[in-house]
Amino acid sequence: MRKLFLPKSLDELWEILSKDPDISIYAGGTDFLVKMQKGIINPSSIVCIERIDELKGIREDNDKIWIGACTTHTELLSNHIIKENFPVLLKAIKVLGSPLIRNMGTIGGNICTASPAGDTLPPLYILDAELEICTKDSLSIVAIKDFITGPGKTSLKKGQILKGIFIRKNNNYTIHHYEKVGQRKALSIAIVSMAALLKVSSNGDIEDARLSWGSVAPMVIRSNNVEDFLKGKKFSIETLKALKSIVEKEVSPIDDIRATALYRKLVASNLVLRLIKYEI
Amino acid sequence: MKLDRKIVEIGRIIPRIDAFNKVRGLEKYASDYHSKDMIWVGVKRAGIPHARLKKIKIDKAKHLKGVIDVLTHKDVKGTNRQGVVRKDQPVLVDDKIRYAGDAVALVLAKDKKVLMHALSLIAIDYEPLPLIFDAEKAINDKKNLVHEDNPDGNVLLHGKIETGKGNKAFSECDLVVEASFEVPYQEHAYLETEAGWAILDSDGMLTITVSTQTPFRDRSEVAEALGLDIKKVRIIAPYCGGAFGGKDGITVQTLLGLAALTVPGKPVKIWLNREESFISSVKRHQARLYYKLGAKKDGKLHALDVRFFYDTGPYDHLGGVVMALGLEHSGGPYHIPNTNLKGWVVYTNNPIGGAFRAFGVPQVTFAMEQMVDMVAKRLNLSPLEIRLRNVIKKGDKIPIGTTMLSSTGITDCLNILKQHPLWKERERWKRDAPIFKKRGVGIASIMHAMGYGPVVPDYANAKIELTEDGKFRIFCGVVDMGQGNINSYMQIAANILNQDIDNIELILPDTEKTLSSGSSSASRTTYTFGNALIDASKTLKEYILNRVADLIMAKSIDEFTMVPGKIIHLPTGKSFLLKEITKFLNDSERIVTKHYRAPVSKELVSIDERLRLHGIPHLIFSFVSHLAYVEIDELTGEVEVKKYLSITDSGKIINPQILEQQIHGAIAQGLGYAIYEDFVVEDGKAKTLDFSTYIIPTAMDLPDIESINVELHESSGPFGMKGAGEINTNGPLPAVANGVADALDIRIFRSPLTGERILMALKEKKEMSN
Amino acid sequence: MKIRFILNGETKVIDVEADRRVIDVIREDLGLTGTKEACGRGECGSCTILVDGSPKLSCLMLAAQLEGREIITIEGIKKDSDMHPIQEAFIKHGAVQCGFCTPGMVLVSFDLLKRNKKPSRDEIREAISGNLCRCTGYQKIVDAIEAAAKREL
Ligand SMILES: Cc1cc2nc3c(=O)[nH]c(=O)nc-3n(C[C@H](O)[C@H](O)[C@H](O)COP(=O)(O)OP(=O)(O)OC[C@H]3O[C@@H](n4cnc5c(N)ncnc54)[C@H](O)[C@@H]3O)c2cc1C
Ligand code: FES
Ligand code: FES
């Protein structure tokens, strides 16, 4: 039998971690327990952090919003701060898994799983999310792009946990877009996903652009070439069409059971055309 | 409870009796059996697709703490062979491994954890054999064989039918279209995976409670394979958590029996997990099909040439029968005077192809219905018009050369479609497509046979009893795997006996209590058992009325009427309670058993004896026309079905809600097959082993379906009904494929129609035109 | 490990291995087999239970997580009279075929109607999209939930 702990506070968690540094952590368990049940991992002791209140909630912190790592997707979906500030994140979470998965799964879990298909990641990359990593007696802030180091890999070390996520408010964007292409409409893992934030002026000039793609490379792709190309251009179908060939060069997908690399590449570039629906 | 179960009229909705427990979580399925002293049983699967077995190393597992026993083929005392037609599947592998899901050893353990550990400790020594994975190529491979003892090499069954002038008639055609098609395996994905519970009691009786469609056939198979007296085997079949053909035949029954024999007096349980279920269970056959269709200028179909190859994997299961039904339906519901139809069903080392709702017909329908559209297009006819010109009418010959003698509503189905707003308004709907979307409308027309065919008796034995408390008890010999047939039986009996449904009791299939009545399959359950039950109920009623008439010296039984709970003597107004009357009847009067055997085709033309043995030709057919509104995303290729219409001729309706359940469910599975479901096998190994890679539709992926019924009277059927369970499975794939072709002017020859397949085809088309 | 929680209104104290799956605790140890298992991986929703009112997957929860929680399974959705209006609607509208998905479907509908008194058909489809059904094509399930919402039984 494995040992299992259910701490109710960070202090209790630190205590557990100090006694058993090799212990495995889970929050909602929707990634972790699936792996455990498949036998991919077989930890001898585990700690469930779902009851630690300090890891939950959504708060305004000056010009930033703080999201606790153990906040569930369902909680984020119904939160007005998220709705007002980060529609792009909201749109991504809306299509993550299923309502049941969203009731259990957490944003921290999605980040730490670091799957190239993770739905919150493309939005978090273009929102320049910063992660609050802490141990018993240290706290550091890491940009999400530095935190995720490979497919399924993060820079998290023994004894560290993800405490929360900071995202800077920014009311500048006029377009908040997320689209996931999967094998069906719910319970679907991204074959390609794209998140976009665009600032288009009243006369149709693209003043700022941030785009990212999931599932088309070992990690989320965000490219200067793409964003620089758009800045200063007219927001038009011609511009978006011209962007396609740049996108194709930036992505480096693989074949898997869900789709071929070629399809992924085609779709990744096609998806930029969808932005035209926001044209006024 | 506000639900009214008093109505007993045929043709009215009566809420399903089984739903009352199911909705409260109180129904006990085979997988729900559990006790503290039970033993968990698990199967060591081969994991490799083709090899000669050398040694099974079980010592480590056997000595693990908590392991009760480890069994291999050496422990099987009977023939160690099972199968519906050919007995070619071992209970536990003895000589050869023929697919990755083969059962090699059986472990009995005190709990699931020990069981999993023990299974991982078993090692198999083997000598790999070359893989046979392409059915079409395997037919000529005389060196590498799946079954060395099969006289036809890797061919399980080959069927050939020629009518009219056969292929010579193509020279008389004004136009000929040719194409080839491929469909993958489809997995049943019933939610309740294979499960059962067994115990050997002190009298030597082996009782197996199992999720099955075929308790009586299972009993014989278990007895033979394990070397038991059939009288000492009892199969109990609770409601299944879904089956759809996948539980037509042995799944875990023999393994359960074998385990129970080793631990007398102790209950044993097997419940496959999803992955093992996907690896080991039967599937809808993957197939390759070659079609050539010729027509005259006036739009009349004139000649058809078909060759197809069904991959049955390592064991027959029902592969031969599936292929034969495919052959019978390969030309669709059309009158085509000249045909040359050839089918092969072939052994390979892929997963087992077997029974699955619609049984070999969806594959050929995918091909034929697209062929018809291609001909229509070349002739500049609408898809509806060409169908109206060619569909069979009563008395016409169907493509295999036999005569359509049952009620034939396909023209009605198409005429209703023609008048339907969805057909009339299709052009406007297509024009209104939003940006980056293309819209198309596809139709399909289909027939589907009912029952076992000319040789294997399609019979049922219905037993009904007036109980000692004056109620009626039906002994059901046919399983309800979720389709609601048992509710229809109650409705039938209640109607004839004029009782409230609450006065009717049920005994579920149990080889000790109920009578052999064939399988729950082939769209025949309500038809065949229903006919037997009508007879039994009428006879019982007559008995009872006669007894009362004699008792009170009435002139004739016409003076009486039966009402809920009692009998009224009309001239005097006196009433007699059934619970009183029952005292005057002895057992042989209170209990009536009636046998019914479905009529069969008497035609002997064009179909050889081997095909007849495998179930064709049929006598009674149902019909449907389908229409799909499809929308394709040009950026991703994804197909969405926006609206779906089905028009069904399955005879008269007993309970419209149950019929509609069948229509919806069949279409849902058909749409899954059309757009999502692709059971991938590489080098004999299944790759899609969970619900995140084997994609079945969720509630967000299916449209609301409109269904209309033609309700022709089929004179041979109970209250004029005929088979309805399967036919609607056939339509969605071709209707969607035709819709896609309508929208994009692209034909997709391999299913499912995934976003990837369509986007690639669009890209290819663009490159060609550049 | 000793675990105390409320199951269908009754306090339970059980002694189980902390890492035992909740679905096994409920089905095997406590004998409530209305909660079904069809995948064990979070992909089907058959094992849905209500945890402090919120639908969760009992195949992806470990026994220790039950501590102090209020659990409702399909057997406990209605205590006093024998059926909840949602259950009645499922029967009346033909939403039940094999019935294996039904307990999960009923529990997520229960949660939906608590949060949203008048869901649209699309909202209903969304709400049940984590629960696979292989028999019905979902339409009659949507009908039933819609009727239950309108109390049109
Ligand atoms: C059926 C199904 C469908 C799914 N569909 C999707 C989908 O569509 N899109 C998608 O993106 N994901 C999907 N997922 C994956 C999963 O639900 C999400 O990634 C979810 O957000 C994970 O959160 P969790 O709390 O359950 O993570 P857990 O499983 O609890 O943890 C995941 C990993 O993160 C680590 N971890 C979690 N929290 C912390 C923390 N605070 N500090 C340090 N480490 C931590 C754990 O150690 C573990 O390694 C699906 C999963 C299932 C089972
Ligand atoms: S059994 Fe839990 S989600 Fe399928
Ligand atoms: S009713 Fe069978 S799975 Fe839903």
Side-chain angles (χ1 to χ4, degrees), chain B residues 151-203:
Chain B
D152 300 327
N154 286 324
V155 176
L156 167 62
L157 182 68
H158 171 46
K160 210 165 109 182
I161 296 170
E162 202 180 78
T163 68
K165 298 180 209 153
N167 278 347
K168 287 192 204 89
F170 280 104
S171 60
E172 302 163 5
C173 294
D174 296 314
L175 135 116
V176 175
V177 174
E178 271 185 87
S180 60
F181 301 84
E182 266 183 1
V183 288
Y185 282 115
Q186 185 182 19
E187 162 61 46
H188 301 80
Y190 26 76
L191 284 198
E192 184 192 30
T193 52
E194 297 75 358
W197 164 268
I199 188 163
L200 181 71
D201 69 18
S202 51
D203 299 332

Side-chain angles (χ1 to χ4, degrees), chain A residues 25 27-32 73 97 106 110 112-113 118-119 162 180 188, chain C residues 42:
Chain A
I25 295 178
T30 57
D31 279 315
F32 180 85
H73 300 300
T106 63
N110 200 244
C112 293
T113 291
D119 276 308
L162 170 63
K180 163 159 83 173
S188 93

Side-chain angles (χ1 to χ4, degrees), chain B residues 93-126:
Chain B
V93 170
D94 41 23
D95 53 351
K96 260 183 82 170
I97 287 162
R98 297 187 181 84
Y99 88 119
D102 259 331
V104 178
L106 205 60
V107 178
L108 285 70
K110 72 172 184 30
D111 64 42
K112 278 192 274 187
K113 267 191 191 161
V114 175
L115 183 67
M116 295 325 269
H117 188 193
L119 287 169
S120 71
L121 294 177
I122 298 175
I124 306 169
D125 257 4
Y126 59 89

Side-chain angles (χ1 to χ4, degrees), chain B residues 1-3 13 15-16 18-20 22-27 29 31-32 34 36 40 112-113 186-193 240-242 244 269 271 274-275 356 481-483 657 660-662 664-665 668-669 677 690-692 694 696-700 702-705, chain C residues 17 19-21 24 27-30 33-41 43-44 46 74-75 77 82-83 86-88 90-103 106 121-122 124-126 128-140 142-143 153:
Chain B
M1 186 77 213
K2 286 170 244 83
L3 296 165
I13 293 174
R16 281 174 60 158
D18 53 332
F20 286 74
K22 287 174 175 176
V23 83
R24 290 179 293 175
L26 301 179
E27 188 58 52
Y29 297 82
S31 54
D32 291 333
H34 188 87
K36 292 271 178 272
W40 279 100
K112 278 192 274 187
K113 267 191 191 161
Q186 185 182 19
E187 162 61 46
H188 301 80
Y190 26 76
L191 284 198
E192 184 192 30
T193 52
C240 294
F244 317 115
K269 174 169 182 168
W271 190 7
R274 181 56 59 187
E275 180 173 327
F356 192 158
M481 52 177 154
Q483 77 269 49
Q657 187 177 69
E660 197 167 59
Q661 288 181 334
Q662 286 305 297
H664 288 176
Q669 282 174 356
E677 299 180 34
D690 53 34
F691 282 130
S692 89
Y694 186 76
I696 65 172
T698 71
M700 291 176 79
L702 295 173
D704 274 339
I705 294 160
Chain C
E17 295 181 355
D19 68 340
R20 195 164 162 71
R21 298 185 313 162
D24 297 332
R27 287 178 53 85
E28 295 174 3
D29 306 350
L30 298 167
T33 53
T35 306
K36 302 298 180 197
E37 175 171 359
C39 77
R41 299 277 188 268
E43 292 154 2
C44 77
S46 310
I74 187 66
E75 292 91 345
I77 187 169
D82 66 343
M83 243 185 265
I86 296 173
Q87 292 170 309
E88 277 186 35
F90 266 61
I91 300 175
K92 169 137 191 229
H93 292 271
V96 181
Q97 291 194 34
C98 86
F100 219 71
C101 69
T102 310
V106 169
R121 286 184 79 82
D122 282 346
I124 295 172
R125 285 184 177 276
E126 227 261 280
I128 61 170
S129 64
N131 298 73
L132 297 179
C133 173
R134 191 54 159 166
C135 300
T136 64
Y138 305 103
Q139 188 165 334
K140 289 188 181 295
V142 178
D143 293 347
L153 299 171

